[in-house]
Amino acid sequence: MKRFRGMVLAGIVLSMLAVNFCSAKDRKVGEDTTETQEQEMASGTKEEAAVKGTVKLPVFMVDFPDNRFQEGVLPSDKLKTLLFSENQNSMTTRAKDISDSQLHLDGDIFYYTAKYDMEKYENSNDPTEELAREVLSAFDSQIDYMDYDSNDDKYVDVFVLNVAGEDTCWQETNGIWKENSGFQLDGMKFGRYIVNDAQPYTDNEDGFVERMNYEFDLCMGLTDYYKR
Protein backbone atom coordinates (compact mmCIF):
# COMPACT_ATOMS: atom_id res chain seq x y z
CA MET A 1 0.00 0.00 0.00
CA LYS A 2 2.82 2.40 0.91
CA ARG A 3 4.61 1.68 -2.38
CA PHE A 4 1.35 2.12 -4.32
CA ARG A 5 0.68 5.45 -2.63
CA GLY A 6 4.20 6.58 -3.48
CA MET A 7 3.67 5.64 -7.13
CA VAL A 8 0.40 7.59 -7.20
CA LEU A 9 2.05 10.67 -5.70
CA ALA A 10 4.93 10.39 -8.16
CA GLY A 11 2.45 10.28 -10.99
CA ILE A 12 0.72 13.40 -9.69
CA VAL A 13 3.99 15.31 -9.45
CA LEU A 14 5.21 14.27 -12.87
CA SER A 15 1.89 15.09 -14.51
CA MET A 16 2.12 18.64 -13.12
CA LEU A 17 5.63 19.37 -14.37
CA ALA A 18 4.76 20.67 -17.81
CA VAL A 19 2.01 22.94 -16.53
CA ASN A 20 3.00 24.41 -13.20
CA PHE A 21 6.73 24.32 -12.51
CA CYS A 22 10.13 25.09 -13.96
CA SER A 23 12.90 22.51 -13.68
CA ALA A 24 16.06 22.71 -11.64
CA LYS A 25 19.18 22.20 -13.78
CA ASP A 26 16.87 21.17 -16.64
CA ARG A 27 14.44 23.76 -18.01
CA LYS A 28 13.08 21.60 -20.83
CA VAL A 29 10.05 20.55 -18.84
CA GLY A 30 7.55 23.39 -18.78
CA GLU A 31 9.81 25.56 -20.95
CA ASP A 32 6.93 26.76 -23.13
CA THR A 33 4.92 28.01 -20.15
CA THR A 34 7.66 29.71 -18.14
CA GLU A 35 7.74 32.98 -20.11
CA THR A 36 3.97 33.35 -19.93
CA GLN A 37 3.94 32.62 -16.20
CA GLU A 38 6.62 35.24 -15.54
CA GLN A 39 4.73 37.87 -17.53
CA GLU A 40 1.62 37.25 -15.45
CA MET A 41 3.44 37.53 -12.13
CA ALA A 42 3.46 40.72 -10.09
CA SER A 43 6.64 42.72 -10.42
CA GLY A 44 9.55 40.71 -9.06
CA THR A 45 7.30 37.94 -7.75
CA LYS A 46 8.48 34.37 -8.14
CA GLU A 47 5.78 31.71 -8.61
CA GLU A 48 7.85 28.76 -9.79
CA ALA A 49 9.16 25.78 -7.88
CA ALA A 50 11.99 23.49 -8.88
CA VAL A 51 10.97 19.86 -9.12
CA LYS A 52 13.95 18.18 -10.78
CA GLY A 53 17.65 17.99 -10.02
CA THR A 54 19.26 19.00 -6.74
CA VAL A 55 17.58 21.76 -4.75
CA LYS A 56 19.26 23.16 -1.65
CA LEU A 57 17.29 25.02 1.02
CA PRO A 58 18.55 27.40 3.70
CA VAL A 59 16.51 26.70 6.83
CA PHE A 60 16.56 29.44 9.46
CA MET A 61 15.52 28.53 13.00
CA VAL A 62 14.34 31.86 14.41
CA ASP A 63 13.50 32.80 17.99
CA PHE A 64 12.87 36.16 19.68
CA PRO A 65 14.19 37.96 22.78
CA ASP A 66 10.85 37.29 24.51
CA ASN A 67 10.30 33.83 23.01
CA ARG A 68 13.51 31.84 22.96
CA PHE A 69 14.00 28.20 22.05
CA GLN A 70 14.02 26.25 25.30
CA GLU A 71 16.00 23.32 26.67
CA GLY A 72 15.69 20.31 24.43
CA VAL A 73 15.93 22.22 21.16
CA LEU A 74 17.61 20.12 18.50
CA PRO A 75 21.10 21.21 17.41
CA SER A 76 21.73 22.11 13.79
CA ASP A 77 23.53 18.85 12.94
CA LYS A 78 20.62 16.80 14.29
CA LEU A 79 18.10 18.89 12.35
CA LYS A 80 20.11 18.49 9.16
CA THR A 81 20.05 14.71 9.62
CA LEU A 82 16.31 14.68 10.31
CA LEU A 83 15.49 16.77 7.24
CA PHE A 84 18.15 16.06 4.65
CA SER A 85 19.40 12.50 5.09
CA GLU A 86 18.24 9.18 3.69
CA ASN A 87 16.13 8.56 6.79
CA GLN A 88 12.72 7.11 6.00
CA ASN A 89 10.66 10.20 6.84
CA SER A 90 13.10 12.95 5.89
CA MET A 91 12.32 15.70 3.38
CA THR A 92 15.02 14.29 1.13
CA THR A 93 13.48 10.82 1.10
CA ARG A 94 9.94 12.12 0.59
CA ALA A 95 10.99 14.35 -2.30
CA LYS A 96 12.77 11.42 -3.90
CA ASP A 97 9.72 9.16 -3.50
CA ILE A 98 7.10 11.54 -4.87
CA SER A 99 9.27 12.71 -7.78
CA ASP A 100 10.29 9.23 -8.94
CA SER A 101 13.88 10.02 -7.84
CA GLN A 102 14.06 13.15 -10.02
CA LEU A 103 14.25 15.66 -7.16
CA HIS A 104 16.99 15.61 -4.53
CA LEU A 105 16.63 17.95 -1.55
CA ASP A 106 19.54 19.15 0.52
CA GLY A 107 19.83 22.01 2.94
CA ASP A 108 21.66 23.93 5.63
CA ILE A 109 20.48 24.89 9.12
CA PHE A 110 21.05 28.28 10.73
CA TYR A 111 19.94 29.58 14.14
CA TYR A 112 19.05 33.24 14.62
CA THR A 113 17.57 35.42 17.37
CA ALA A 114 15.51 38.31 16.00
CA LYS A 115 16.28 41.91 16.95
CA TYR A 116 12.85 42.56 18.46
CA ASP A 117 10.15 40.81 20.46
CA MET A 118 7.70 38.65 18.53
CA GLU A 119 4.84 41.11 18.96
CA LYS A 120 6.69 43.81 17.05
CA TYR A 121 6.71 41.67 13.89
CA GLU A 122 3.17 40.42 14.37
CA ASN A 123 1.89 44.01 14.46
CA SER A 124 3.67 45.03 11.26
CA ASN A 125 1.98 45.24 7.85
CA ASP A 126 3.71 42.07 6.68
CA PRO A 127 5.18 40.09 9.58
CA THR A 128 6.71 37.29 7.53
CA GLU A 129 8.55 39.40 5.01
CA GLU A 130 9.79 41.91 7.58
CA LEU A 131 11.28 39.04 9.57
CA ALA A 132 12.56 37.34 6.42
CA ARG A 133 14.43 40.41 5.22
CA GLU A 134 16.06 40.81 8.62
CA VAL A 135 17.14 37.17 8.82
CA LEU A 136 18.39 36.95 5.25
CA SER A 137 20.37 40.17 5.61
CA ALA A 138 21.89 39.03 8.90
CA PHE A 139 23.48 36.00 7.19
CA ASP A 140 24.56 37.79 4.03
CA SER A 141 28.20 37.88 5.12
CA GLN A 142 28.16 34.13 5.93
CA ILE A 143 26.06 32.77 3.08
CA ASP A 144 26.44 32.99 -0.67
CA TYR A 145 22.79 32.91 -1.72
CA MET A 146 23.82 31.90 -5.22
CA ASP A 147 24.37 28.42 -3.74
CA TYR A 148 20.59 28.11 -3.33
CA ASP A 149 19.66 28.88 -6.93
CA SER A 150 19.54 25.45 -8.56
CA ASN A 151 18.33 26.55 -12.00
CA ASP A 152 20.41 29.72 -12.40
CA ASP A 153 17.42 32.05 -12.72
CA LYS A 154 18.73 34.54 -10.11
CA TYR A 155 16.11 33.51 -7.55
CA VAL A 156 16.74 31.52 -4.39
CA ASP A 157 14.54 28.47 -5.02
CA VAL A 158 12.92 28.39 -1.57
CA PHE A 159 13.94 29.21 1.98
CA VAL A 160 12.44 28.35 5.35
CA LEU A 161 11.83 30.39 8.49
CA ASN A 162 11.01 28.12 11.41
CA VAL A 163 9.67 30.33 14.18
CA ALA A 164 9.93 29.65 17.91
CA GLY A 165 6.73 29.42 19.89
CA GLU A 166 3.29 28.51 18.67
CA ASP A 167 1.24 31.51 17.59
CA THR A 168 -1.54 31.82 15.01
CA CYS A 169 0.36 34.57 13.19
CA TRP A 170 2.93 32.06 11.97
CA GLN A 171 0.90 28.90 11.53
CA GLU A 172 1.07 27.04 8.22
CA THR A 173 2.29 30.10 6.34
CA ASN A 174 3.92 29.61 2.99
CA GLY A 175 3.90 31.89 0.03
CA ILE A 176 5.66 34.11 -2.43
CA TRP A 177 7.53 37.38 -2.03
CA LYS A 178 4.98 40.20 -2.26
CA GLU A 179 6.47 43.36 -0.75
CA ASN A 180 9.79 45.02 -1.62
CA SER A 181 10.23 42.84 -4.67
CA GLY A 182 13.50 44.57 -5.51
CA PHE A 183 15.16 43.17 -2.37
CA GLN A 184 18.34 41.33 -3.34
CA LEU A 185 21.38 39.79 -1.71
CA ASP A 186 24.38 38.49 -3.65
CA GLY A 187 22.53 39.52 -6.80
CA MET A 188 19.75 37.07 -5.93
CA LYS A 189 16.03 37.74 -5.49
CA PHE A 190 13.78 35.74 -3.23
CA GLY A 191 10.65 33.97 -4.40
CA ARG A 192 8.99 31.13 -2.59
CA TYR A 193 9.42 30.73 1.13
CA ILE A 194 7.91 28.76 4.00
CA VAL A 195 7.18 30.08 7.48
CA ASN A 196 6.67 27.22 9.88
CA ASP A 197 5.88 27.06 13.59
CA ALA A 198 6.66 23.38 14.15
CA GLN A 199 8.82 23.22 17.24
CA PRO A 200 12.28 21.58 16.89
CA TYR A 201 12.51 19.69 20.17
CA THR A 202 13.70 16.20 21.01
CA ASP A 203 10.17 15.14 21.98
CA ASN A 204 8.71 16.39 18.68
CA GLU A 205 11.08 15.07 16.02
CA ASP A 206 8.43 13.21 14.03
CA GLY A 207 5.95 16.08 14.20
CA PHE A 208 8.59 18.57 13.15
CA VAL A 209 9.63 16.61 10.06
CA GLU A 210 6.01 15.84 9.16
CA ARG A 211 5.08 19.53 9.25
CA MET A 212 8.12 20.48 7.17
CA ASN A 213 7.14 17.92 4.54
CA TYR A 214 3.59 19.24 4.57
CA GLU A 215 4.63 22.86 4.13
CA PHE A 216 7.08 21.97 1.37
CA ASP A 217 4.34 20.08 -0.48
CA LEU A 218 2.12 23.17 -0.33
CA CYS A 219 4.97 25.39 -1.46
CA MET A 220 5.37 23.15 -4.51
CA GLY A 221 1.64 23.29 -5.18
CA LEU A 222 0.96 19.67 -4.34
CA THR A 223 -2.28 18.33 -2.88
CA ASP A 224 -2.58 18.46 0.90
CA TYR A 225 -1.60 14.98 2.10
CA TYR A 226 -1.01 16.04 5.71
CA LYS A 227 -1.95 13.38 8.26
CA ARG A 228 -4.89 14.67 10.26
Side-chain angles (χ1 to χ4, degrees):
M1 176 63 72
K2 182 176 180 181
R3 179 176 177 80
F4 175 76
R5 182 182 179 188
M7 292 173 65
V8 171
L9 290 175
I12 293 172
V13 173
L14 293 175
S15 68
M16 296 172 68
L17 287 175
V19 178
N20 295 318
F21 305 111
C22 69
S23 301
K25 299 299 185 184
D26 180 358
R27 298 185 66 90
K28 292 182 180 179
V29 177
E31 187 174 42
D32 293 338
T33 64
T34 300
E35 183 177 354
T36 301
Q37 289 172 343
E38 291 181 345
Q39 291 173 347
E40 292 175 350
M41 289 187 290
S43 176
T45 299
K46 175 74 169 175
E47 293 195 11
E48 302 171 354
V51 291
K52 292 181 68 177
T54 298
V55 175
K56 193 174 183 181
L57 290 69
V59 178
F60 300 100
M61 312 302 296
V62 182
D63 63 7
F64 305 86
D66 65 335
N67 200 333
R68 300 296 302 271
F69 287 120
Q70 302 299 313
E71 182 178 355
V73 66
L74 295 164
S76 57
D77 57 344
K78 176 65 173 179
L79 285 172
K80 185 175 176 68
T81 299
L82 281 175
L83 296 176
F84 303 117
S85 71
E86 298 299 323
N87 289 347
Q88 181 177 357
N89 296 320
S90 72
M91 293 180 71
T92 297
T93 298
R94 177 171 173 77
K96 179 180 178 181
D97 288 346
I98 67 175
S99 68
D100 197 23
S101 299
Q102 295 190 65
L103 174 61
H104 176 75
L105 283 186
D106 195 4
D108 297 309
I109 311 296
F110 305 94
Y111 273 89
Y112 177 77
T113 299
K115 294 179 181 179
Y116 309 105
D117 289 349
M118 179 182 284
E119 184 178 7
K120 191 266 185 186
Y121 301 93
E122 293 180 342
N123 290 334
S124 69
N125 290 332
D126 197 325
T128 55
E129 289 184 21
E130 179 175 337
L131 182 61
R133 289 192 299 272
E134 177 186 324
V135 174
L136 292 166
S137 297
F139 283 93
D140 188 30
S141 62
Q142 303 176 43
I143 294 175
D144 185 348
Y145 287 106
M146 294 178 66
D147 293 341
Y148 302 101
D149 174 19
S150 62
N151 55 357
D152 301 319
D153 65 353
K154 303 304 180 183
Y155 277 87
V156 170
D157 295 316
V158 59
F159 66 92
V160 180
L161 298 180
N162 205 98
V163 180
E166 297 183 10
D167 194 295
T168 55
C169 181
W170 310 102
Q171 286 181 359
E172 299 184 8
T173 304
N174 63 292
I176 55 177
W177 206 260
K178 301 185 294 298
E179 304 292 338
N180 295 285
S181 58
F183 177 73
Q184 297 185 44
L185 296 170
D186 300 327
M188 304 296 296
K189 290 188 176 183
F190 298 85
R192 289 179 174 268
Y193 63 89
I194 296 167
V195 180
N196 186 15
D197 69 343
Q199 299 302 292
Y201 292 102
T202 54
D203 61 353
N204 189 42
E205 292 184 7
D206 291 343
F208 174 78
V209 177
E210 185 176 354
R211 177 67 71 82
M212 288 289 286
N213 278 323
Y214 166 69
E215 296 293 350
F216 186 73
D217 284 359
L218 291 183
C219 194
M220 291 175 67
L222 300 181
T223 304
D224 183 353
Y225 289 108
Y226 188 57
K227 297 178 182 178
R228 301 293 180 179

